Amino acid sequence: MALSPRSLFLSLLLASVGSAQTLEVLGPSGPVPPDGFTVAVVKRGADGSPTPFQNPSISADGADLRPAPPQPPLQTFLVVPTAGAREVRIRASDGALRTELRFPVGPPAARVELSLDPPTPVKGRDQRATLTVRLLNAAGQPDAESAPPVLRANVGQLQAVERVGPGVFRAGYLLPPTRYPEVAILAALAPWPHPNSVHGVFGRLLVPLSTAIDLPGRTEPNAEMSIEIAGQRFGPVRSGPDGRFQLPVVVPPGHRFGKGLAVDRLGNRRNAKIDLALPPTDQLACVANPARLPGDGISRGRVLCATTDPYGKPMASARVSLSAQRGSVQGPRTLEGGMLEWIYTAPKSTTFQPDTLRASWSQAGAASREELTLSLEQGPAEKLELSLGEPLVHRGSQLPLGFWVKDRLDRPRQGARVALFATAGEARELTESDPGRWRARYVPPERGTEESATLQARAYGPMGADPARVVAWLERGRLVLGVADLAGLPVPGQRLLAGALEVTTGEDGTVDLGPPTPGKLEVSHAQWPGLRQTLFVLDGPQLYPRTDPLGSAVQTVTVKLAPAIPVNVRIQVEGRQVRYWAEDAEGKVLPDRRLELQLSGGSHGPPQERGGRFAITIVTQTPITVSVADVLTGVTGLAEVKP
């Protein structure tokens, strides 16, 4: 049946309206972490605004889908890539609408190469060597966009990393102060997407550290003495009349004996085996990254161990055991070059005492043992309890303030930063007297017409060091970015690229971008480009993904302002015990004031005085009023005592 022109127009119009609807998957740009990431599905109407779903369906290839906290009108999911997956494909549909989005799984392919100059430094002769690290991409070319590597050494000390070219970095290596030969492991990790991640490639360099010593000994008088160690001959030197000698030698790891040759004045030759009296070589070397983890029961670190023969050559198939005093370890997994890897999971801690990891390789002897110490960090300040001595203060006097700073689990949080603001007057002597316990004094303005003042206390931090998360949220209609470490502590001074804008986090780890513009915004860390966040600003405005603000706590109280008085009469009631005294405007007790005590009923014993403070015990069967007056000024304080 043929359609009329009007019916045909309506059909085309309805088809046009239907086709104007779109289905989108909102998710990260670039490689995604193997631990998981979040996505959202949004259905848009013809005007681009979100509309309700009719019959939605979402699936994933190469990953498990789990529901995420709802954020209507979006449908949100946690996507966990399956082990070994290099790509995740998300498919979504709602009726006739279809969409698909693919995510490469990081870290990006790369390789790490290390070299040392000099390649075999000698203790007693060299104090420092230069380590060069090259970060290469999948094509074997220097990775110009790579972040600096994280360096670890089991012995000695690695200095600050310096970029000397695209993908090329250098650092000084200070030899250990010990004088015996040993094997050093220098590891360069290219963690991704942040410096404390367990993901990413690594390179390692085994460095046999020889020792230059003056070997003492005794042979025949006036003989020529030489010694062969590891195929190298040292000497000869001539012994003294008493047969004593000192022979400069270089001893590599694993060589505990030398071959001595003494030639006397008549040419007679005598060979001898010489014990160099050196300890057995430690054939096990381990490093951990990061060295600090939150004590939250879920954060993970990476432990790498290398095994060598006594001379510093790599050995494979070694049976090394690793245990943690408080946390847990999973592994080992054998990596390239015979390296062994464990994944360490931090314990859920309430005391935040360091954890000790112990590794041993029994087949290599008692000397082949390692002990690592990992610090456990507490979360940031997230609760604040502010208390006042009383809700009224006289002009010209001071009001004591006290408050507790706590973490999310109500534990005192030491070392946080606290700021105190007043709409009138000022706060003084802000100090942390005990862990998490702060004290201050509020000084009202001496003059003015204000009847009250608002006091606001804010606690945040302590400050973190290594960036691990980029977070974003909306606050009073403005888009705020923040950088936090693994424990959630704010990290100040971090450069971020927000679209075409470069910004830097302030002392609280945040930066205000102002009112958001609807659309997509890419935010990445300037130094760690893999540490990024893809933000979507929807109408409303609504932000996806939306995170909680960086840990901070704010509390506000109002204080009444009263006219100035020459003295202040204080009364404290604890059950039937009443204490009273007079103090000046600064809160100092005035011991020489004459105070008059009156009761509305009941009785009391004789007052007990100590340092200008008086104490009495009330005897009463009904509630009564206690008044204390300063005789000279008439200033009076009142309190109620209940039986």
Side-chain angles (χ1 to χ4, degrees):
M1 174 175 132
L3 294 174
S4 67
R6 177 178 175 81
S7 299
L8 181 59
F9 172 76
L10 290 176
S11 298
L12 292 174
L13 178 61
L14 291 173
S16 175
V17 171
S19 63
Q21 291 182 331
T22 59
L23 196 63
E24 296 179 40
V25 175
L26 309 181
S29 298
V32 295
D35 292 334
F37 59 101
T38 60
V39 298
V41 181
V42 58
K43 181 180 178 181
R44 298 183 189 272
D47 60 353
S49 60
T51 61
F53 291 93
Q54 298 299 320
N55 186 26
S57 175
I58 184 169
S59 61
D61 293 338
D64 294 328
L65 278 181
R66 305 171 188 174
Q71 194 172 331
L74 307 177
Q75 286 206 351
T76 57
F77 301 89
L78 173 63
V79 184
V80 182
T82 55
R86 300 302 302 168
E87 182 185 75
V88 171
R89 181 182 301 179
I90 304 293
R91 295 187 179 92
S93 65
D94 187 36
L97 297 177
R98 299 280 191 277
T99 189
E100 179 181 301
L101 198 59
R102 301 186 181 192
F103 301 92
V105 180
R111 190 169 77 252
V112 181
E113 294 181 349
L114 292 84
S115 60
L116 196 64
D117 183 26
T120 54
V122 177
K123 294 182 180 182
R125 179 186 301 170
D126 302 311
Q127 295 183 341
R128 185 182 186 276
T130 300
L131 178 67
T132 300
V133 181
R134 292 177 173 84
L135 303 183
L136 308 178
N137 58 24
Q141 300 299 317
D143 187 356
E145 297 182 357
S146 63
V150 175
L151 304 182
R152 295 285 185 264
N154 67 319
V155 293
Q157 182 179 354
L158 285 162
Q159 298 177 313
V161 180
E162 176 187 9
R163 187 188 297 268
V164 295
V168 182
F169 302 85
R170 282 185 186 154
Y173 173 61
L174 302 181
L175 273 65
T178 52
R179 293 304 305 271
Y180 52 81
E182 58 185 326
V183 179
I185 172 176
L186 307 183
L189 297 95
W192 182 88
H194 57 79
N196 289 330
S197 173
V198 296
H199 304 295
V201 296
F202 74 94
R204 64 99 173 93
L205 190 64
L206 297 176
V207 184
L209 297 177
S210 302
T211 296
I213 59 174
D214 289 334
L215 182 67
R218 190 168 185 173
T219 186
E220 299 178 16
N222 300 313
E224 288 189 346
M225 185 67 192
S226 61
I227 187 171
E228 181 182 322
I229 302 175
Q232 184 176 0
R233 181 167 294 278
F234 300 93
V237 296
R238 185 170 295 278
S239 63
D242 58 356
R244 297 183 183 275
F245 66 88
Q246 278 198 336
L247 180 60
V249 298
V250 175
V251 185
H255 294 272
R256 300 183 58 186
F257 298 93
K259 298 178 181 178
L261 174 63
V263 181
D264 63 17
R265 289 175 295 178
L266 300 177
N268 297 315
R269 303 165 66 89
R270 185 164 64 90
N271 294 305
K273 183 179 181 181
I274 298 179
D275 188 347
L276 302 177
L278 294 173
T281 303
D282 182 357
Q283 299 174 228
L284 176 64
C286 302
V287 295
N289 187 65
R292 301 168 59 187
L293 281 169
D296 55 9
I298 57 175
S299 294
R300 301 186 301 165
R302 193 178 191 184
V303 181
L304 298 171
C305 291
T307 54
T308 70
D309 64 15
Y311 311 103
K313 300 295 184 182
M315 286 191 67
S317 303
R319 295 184 178 180
V320 178
S321 63
L322 178 71
S323 63
Q325 185 176 8
R326 303 175 61 197
S328 61
V329 293
Q330 182 181 3
R333 182 168 69 105
T334 303
L335 304 178
E336 182 182 356
M339 291 285 287
L340 300 174
E341 178 194 56
W342 288 261
I343 299 299
Y344 166 81
T345 302
K348 191 169 186 178
S349 176
T350 56
T351 60
F352 303 103
Q353 296 297 318
D355 197 2
T356 301
L357 280 65
R358 293 183 174 89
S360 63
W361 182 18
S362 58
Q363 289 85 354
S368 297
R369 299 177 181 273
E370 287 283 274
E371 184 172 297
L372 304 172
T373 300
L374 299 182
S375 298
L376 298 178
E377 294 291 317
Q378 186 179 4
E382 296 196 39
K383 295 184 180 180
L384 181 63
E385 299 174 2
L386 176 60
S387 62
L388 304 174
E390 56 185 75
L392 180 143
V393 59
H394 294 274
R395 296 181 187 272
S397 65
Q398 299 181 2
L399 180 66
L401 306 173
F403 39 95
W404 280 101
V405 178
K406 299 181 179 181
D407 65 10
R408 181 173 295 183
L409 300 179
D410 286 323
R411 297 169 296 197
R413 192 30 166 129
Q414 185 177 10
R417 295 191 180 184
V418 175
L420 188 58
F421 307 95
T423 57
E426 62 178 347
R428 297 177 182 173
E429 302 174 16
L430 180 62
T431 57
E432 187 174 16
S433 56
D434 294 301
R437 178 68 171 170
W438 289 74
R439 299 185 186 278
R441 301 186 74 84
Y442 168 65
V443 181
E446 294 185 2
R447 299 178 180 82
T449 59
E450 303 94 338
E451 296 182 355
S452 64
T454 299
L455 307 182
Q456 184 183 82
R458 178 174 180 248
Y460 60 93
M463 296 300 99
D466 295 322
R469 289 189 298 140
V470 174
V471 296
W473 66 94
L474 295 176
E475 188 172 308
R476 295 188 295 273
R478 303 174 72 87
L479 177 59
V480 182
L481 302 178
V483 177
D485 69 3
L486 284 177
L489 304 182
V491 186
Q494 300 299 295
R495 292 190 302 120
L496 299 176
L497 302 178
L501 183 66
E502 181 175 318
V503 295
T504 303
T505 59
E507 66 173 10
D508 62 351
T510 71
V511 58
D512 187 341
L513 293 189
T517 301
K520 180 179 177 181
L521 178 64
E522 292 287 351
V523 179
S524 62
H525 195 280
Q527 187 178 19
W528 293 87
L531 184 57
R532 59 192 307 119
Q533 189 71 272
T534 304
L535 303 176
F536 299 88
V537 180
L538 309 178
D539 292 336
Q542 183 179 5
L543 180 67
Y544 179 81
R546 180 185 61 206
T547 57
D548 293 331
L550 282 189
S552 65
V554 178
Q555 188 172 359
T556 302
V557 296
T558 299
V559 177
K560 293 183 179 179
L561 302 181
I565 56 174
V567 296
N568 196 8
V569 175
R570 301 287 190 185
I571 303 177
Q572 285 184 349
V573 178
E574 297 179 1
R576 296 187 180 185
Q577 299 293 319
V578 177
R579 295 179 175 83
Y580 59 94
W581 67 92
E583 61 184 35
D584 64 12
E586 295 184 356
K588 296 180 180 178
V589 176
L590 301 173
D592 299 326
R593 304 298 292 193
R594 183 182 170 190
L595 303 177
E596 183 174 311
L597 173 70
Q598 290 188 353
L599 307 180
S600 64
S603 62
H604 66 84
Q608 304 294 320
E609 189 270 342
R610 178 178 296 178
R613 296 176 184 261
F614 297 85
I616 58 172
T617 300
I618 302 294
V619 179
T620 181
Q621 300 299 319
T622 61
I624 64 170
T625 300
V626 177
S627 68
V628 179
D630 178 69
V631 175
L632 182 61
T633 63
V635 175
T636 303
L638 297 174
E640 183 183 36
V641 177
K642 296 181 179 180

